[in-house]
Amino acid sequence: MAFPADRPRRLRRTPALRRLVAETRLHPADFILPVFVREGLTEPAPISSMPGVVQHTEVSLLEAAGEAADLGLGGIMLFGIPATRDAQGTAGLDPDGILNRSIRAVRARVGDSLPVMSDLCLDEFTDHGHCGVLDSHGEVDNDLTLGLYAQMGVVQADSGADVVAPSGMMDGQVAVIRDALDAAGHHTVPILAYSAKYASAFYGPFREAVDSQLQGDRRQYQMDAGNRTEALKEVQLDLAEGADMVMVKPASAYLDILSDVAEISDVPVSAYQVSGEYAMIEAAAGNGWVDRKAVVLEALTAIRRAGATSVLTYYAAEAARWLQEDR
């Protein structure tokens, strides 16, 4: 036989052959759509650093949720932006606050056709922008914050959240939320733990999206970008505390971490394609430097290939439509 004997190109010759042997495929159910709902808005408010993404009104939120259900997305993740904030983030604990009433409204709109997920954190609700309450030295008090997280989890579950997603990176957060949910009779509500959440510069546009009041940074509780082994420890702790799903955030710059986590996890693994990842693609595509659709789908494929069971992405609805059109 003429050299070379091995010819992998045989299976790349036609689109049909490439489709036949594809190892990683995308499906609308792989995607979770993060959405922002802001109290007091009468019209959706565009987010300048995230072209195409808006802060929703309570009405337009329901339209987005209905479309997400119709497209067969894997879920919708709600972030609430209150009209008023305080040092304790009490608006996040209010059953009638913007996030909890939006959970009820979305749940009523979609029923059981779309998992309704809720961000469980104080940062959108505090006037200092941190993910927990501050002590007398201005540092986040881990254990005092845990008590508030437990209350938040119960209120969100009472409001109809199918999944609660603690994102504050407090030590022990999964255990206290699990105990609180079970004590309140919410044994069937799963926890999606932000287990390996890095203190990343890729979050910049998100700060605009939630009108963050943060001064300084969150490096005291979010992970350092240079650490890999620590991420596995964080995941193992969350699994031991009862996490039903775990997450790596951000996604694209942390694919090695995502792969490591997928190797050790015996529960589904999510990854969050964050605001900065979205903004970079939009900026490059807006300048005509890249093929927008091709780059979006390639980036999502890379995240899935690295081991993500599901991807939180602002492209969720659009990518789902593309996949349906391409079938």
Side-chain angles (χ1 to χ4, degrees):
M1 181 181 292
F3 178 85
D6 292 326
R7 296 182 180 269
R9 285 183 55 189
R10 292 173 183 144
L11 296 179
R12 303 174 196 150
R13 186 171 53 84
T14 67
L17 279 171
R18 293 193 293 272
R19 183 174 64 245
L20 172 67
V21 299
E23 298 175 36
T24 304
R25 305 175 192 273
L26 297 177
H27 187 278
D30 299 335
F31 308 138
I32 298 167
L33 177 66
V35 290
F36 308 103
V37 55
R38 182 161 191 164
E39 192 167 28
L41 285 184
T42 57
E43 295 182 357
I47 300 167
S48 63
S49 55
M50 300 177 68
V53 180
V54 301
Q55 294 174 335
H56 281 288
T57 69
E58 294 183 60
V59 173
S60 68
L61 171 67
L62 300 185
E63 296 169 358
E67 180 188 38
D70 292 342
L71 288 169
L73 297 188
I76 187 169
M77 178 74 76
L78 274 60
F79 295 84
I81 308 165
T84 59
R85 297 173 163 101
D86 61 26
Q88 304 295 314
T90 52
L93 304 175
D94 183 356
D96 294 317
I98 181 62
L99 177 57
N100 294 311
R101 70 174 184 260
S102 294
I103 293 170
R104 288 196 297 273
V106 170
R107 185 61 187 268
R109 171 65 177 81
V110 303
D112 292 328
S113 64
L114 178 74
V116 180
M117 306 176 174
S118 54
D119 179 62
L120 200 168
C121 195
L122 290 173
D123 60 323
E124 290 104 62
F125 303 100
T126 56
D127 56 12
H128 47 73
H130 279 287
C131 296
V133 292
L134 304 182
D135 63 18
S136 59
H137 303 290
E139 297 182 357
V140 172
D141 186 319
N142 189 95
D143 295 1
L144 186 57
T145 298
L146 292 181
L148 298 179
Y149 282 7
Q151 295 177 51
M152 287 187 76
V154 171
V155 172
Q156 291 178 2
D158 285 345
S159 299
D162 292 297
V163 179
V164 298
S167 59
M169 289 297 287
M170 296 297 118
D171 294 339
Q173 62 184 15
V174 172
V176 298
I177 293 167
R178 182 73 271 157
D179 287 347
L181 290 173
D182 290 351
H186 293 299
H187 305 278
T188 61
V189 174
I191 296 173
L192 167 55
Y194 287 59
S195 297
K197 182 178 180 180
Y198 284 82
S200 173
F202 285 93
Y203 301 150
F206 182 89
R207 305 280 166 81
E208 178 191 355
V210 298
D211 188 27
S212 175
Q213 305 301 298
L214 181 67
Q215 300 295 318
D217 59 48
R218 299 188 175 117
R219 295 184 182 277
Q220 289 183 347
Y221 44 100
Q222 293 178 357
M223 289 184 54
D224 185 88
N227 289 2
R228 186 172 189 167
T229 303
E230 185 184 17
L232 300 182
K233 179 177 181 178
E234 289 279 9
V235 170
Q236 289 166 337
L237 287 170
D238 282 354
L239 292 173
E241 291 176 20
D244 301 282
M245 296 177 278
V246 295
M247 186 193 297
V248 174
K249 180 181 180 183
S252 298
Y254 295 85
L255 294 180
D256 58 329
I257 308 300
L258 175 57
S259 179
D260 289 347
V261 170
E263 283 289 326
I264 69 165
S265 177
D266 59 357
V267 302
V269 177
S270 295
Y272 199 143
Q273 186 187 47
V274 299
S275 59
E277 297 174 69
Y278 176 92
M280 289 193 301
I281 293 174
E282 290 302 301
N287 280 286
W289 297 335
V290 298
D291 179 325
R292 181 174 179 271
K293 176 181 175 182
V295 166
V296 169
L297 294 178
E298 184 175 341
L300 293 173
T301 299
I303 296 167
R304 288 275 289 113
R305 188 184 64 238
T309 309
S310 59
V311 185
L312 284 86
T313 174
Y314 302 100
Y315 290 113
E318 190 169 20
R321 288 193 293 270
W322 288 336
L323 294 174
Q324 291 179 351
E325 291 167 1
D326 291 345
R327 274 201 304 226

